[in-house]
Structures are given as structure tokens and as C-alpha cells.
Amino acid sequence: MKKIVRAYTLVELMIVVLVIGLVATVAFPFYQNSLISSRRARAQIVLEGIAAGMERYYVSANTYVGAAASDVPTNAVYNLTDEDMADFYDFTATGLTATAFSLFATPVDGASQDADGALTITSSGVRAWDENNDSDDGYEASW
């Protein structure tokens, strides 16, 4: 009695590889976009933590002058390490006056967040995002 061996043909295997390749081609950009979006959300949390620290400094000193983004222990509050966000955003505090400040999270050149645009928060609570990363036309969106 002859035994029949069942196996997949080369054409069937190539079709499976093609389907997997097509699914990966479609899924990868969505995955990249979700990573960029989650890093942006994390940068927003860090900015809010720094803003809260600036307010604590203002309560004790009655001025924002002399405060800096590094004065705020956001790592302890949000369980972040410097490496978590330093690869993707530069955090800066500018325009420090007695009654106002502006905080910025600017994407690091060459990082995956590079085209995502800068985030800002001010002492008056204005939150903005330069969505198209074109600083010429200002900030397009609020977060």
C-alpha cells in the first residue's frame, strides 16, 4: 500500500509570505505613529510636572526668576529617568520673569520625534503644539 504524503507547495508558501509582508507593511506605520503619539503624551506629562515645580518655586520665592527646568524633580514624581525622554525631547524654560514663564519640549534632531513638533506650556496655563513642526506659522493645536 502506497502512503500519500501531504505537504505545502512552494506557491502556497510564497502566498503566505506575501500576505505576511503586506500585513507588516500596513501595520508598521501605525505602530510607529502610536510610538510617536505616546512619547508626545509623555513629554506633555513631563512639561506639566515642570510647570507644577515652577509654581512651587513661585510660592516660595514670589518670582519665577532663578527657577529652571532642572530645579523640578519630575523624575521622582513621574518615575522617569533622564534617558527616557532625553533621547526624544529637549526641555527648556525661557522667558522667566517675576510673573511669567514658558516651558518648551523641542524634539531632538534626528530622533523619531523630529517631525512631531514642539510642545509648550506657559504660566497662564496655555498649552500649544506645533503640529506640523513649522515654527514659522506658530502653534496649530492645543493639548
Side-chain angles (χ1 to χ4, degrees):
M1 182 180 233
K2 194 171 188 181
K3 188 174 182 181
I4 299 175
V5 178
R6 298 276 313 168
Y8 294 108
T9 65
L10 182 60
V11 172
E12 291 171 328
L13 290 175
M14 292 305 293
I15 290 172
V16 169
V17 169
L18 177 69
V19 168
I20 291 172
L22 289 173
V23 168
T25 302
V26 171
F28 188 72
F30 287 110
Y31 173 71
Q32 287 296 101
N33 288 339
S34 68
L35 283 179
I36 290 169
S37 177
S38 67
R39 288 184 190 127
R40 182 185 331 113
R42 198 159 185 183
Q44 292 169 345
I45 290 170
V46 172
L47 276 179
E48 289 176 345
I50 295 170
M54 298 292 278
E55 293 300 330
R56 286 191 299 272
Y57 184 89
Y58 182 81
V59 167
S60 65
N62 204 27
T63 183
Y64 293 113
V65 177
S70 61
D71 292 338
V72 183
T74 53
N75 294 349
V77 175
Y78 296 105
N79 196 23
L80 299 174
T81 61
D82 292 335
E83 296 83 33
D84 283 339
M85 294 307 293
D87 292 339
F88 305 107
Y89 287 97
D90 289 325
F91 295 92
T92 56
T94 61
L96 300 177
T97 67
T99 59
F101 68 82
S102 294
L103 301 174
F104 295 92
T106 308
V108 174
D109 288 337
S112 60
Q113 297 296 115
D114 190 18
D116 193 42
L119 300 164
T120 186
I121 187 170
T122 66
S123 56
S124 61
V126 175
R127 294 169 171 84
W129 173 35
D130 185 9
E131 189 172 1
N132 64 4
N133 201 23
D134 182 12
S135 58
D136 297 338
D137 62 358
Y139 290 86
E140 290 84 25
S142 176
W143 52 275

